[in-house]
């Protein structure tokens, strides 16, 4: 039973890694926020040759530099979860060119998870 235990608020995070995604990142980040995602965090490759980091920050993402010489997405996603998540949080891993929807059973992803 959970009677008497505090109810922690669920937060919905979206995590990604990005390389040269300045053209699409602001749209996917804003779309996820519209789907009820509370916060977006990203590792942006330091060898990006466009303004990915800047446009992701301007779109509201928490951005961290990916300074690794190789791209190991599972490790980076786990690091973001360690940095940001609390018990009860949900995580949506996404690529910047993916647009997630929950239109079949709910109006937003957040409503579908609630």
């Amino acid at each position: 039973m959970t009677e008497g235990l505090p109810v922690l608020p669920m937060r919905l995070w979206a995590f990604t890694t990005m390389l040269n995604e300045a053209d699409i990142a602001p749209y996917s980040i804003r779309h996820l926020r519209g789907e009820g995602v509370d916060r977006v965090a990203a590792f942006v490759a330091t060898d990006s040759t466009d303004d990915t980091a800047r446009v992701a920050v301007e779109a509201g993402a928490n951005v961290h530099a990916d300074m690794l010489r190789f791209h190991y997405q599972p490790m980076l996603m786990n690091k973001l979860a360690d940095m940001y998540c609390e018990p009860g949080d949900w995580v949506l891993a996404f690529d910047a060119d993916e647009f997630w929807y929950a239109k079949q059973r709910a109006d937003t992803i957040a409503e579908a998870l609630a």
Side-chain angles (χ1 to χ4, degrees):
M1 300 282 287
T2 59
E3 190 173 320
L5 294 176
V7 176
L8 298 174
M10 176 200 84
R11 289 181 306 172
L12 176 55
W13 284 92
F15 295 152
T16 193
T17 58
M18 295 183 184
L19 171 69
N20 294 333
E21 307 274 10
D23 59 337
I24 196 71
Y27 302 104
S28 60
I29 292 167
R30 288 185 195 115
H31 170 77
L32 287 167
R33 297 302 300 273
E35 284 290 317
V37 169
D38 296 302
R39 295 295 302 164
V40 176
F43 272 106
V44 174
T46 55
D47 56 349
S48 276
T49 57
D50 64 7
D51 291 330
T52 299
R54 180 185 57 79
V55 298
V57 167
E58 288 175 358
N62 296 359
V63 173
H64 304 276
D66 175 6
M67 297 182 285
L68 298 176
R69 292 183 46 186
F70 60 94
H71 180 72
Y72 190 60
Q73 189 171 13
M75 179 191 67
L76 295 172
M77 297 294 99
N78 286 336
K79 185 168 182 153
L80 289 171
D82 287 343
M83 291 168 65
Y84 291 110
C85 289
E86 300 287 333
D89 288 352
W90 286 80
V91 172
L92 173 70
F94 75 101
D95 288 334
D97 61 352
E98 297 174 349
F99 287 77
W100 289 79
Y101 293 89
K103 297 299 181 187
Q104 292 179 354
R105 296 189 181 139
D107 287 334
T108 67
I109 294 169
E111 288 176 7
L113 293 174

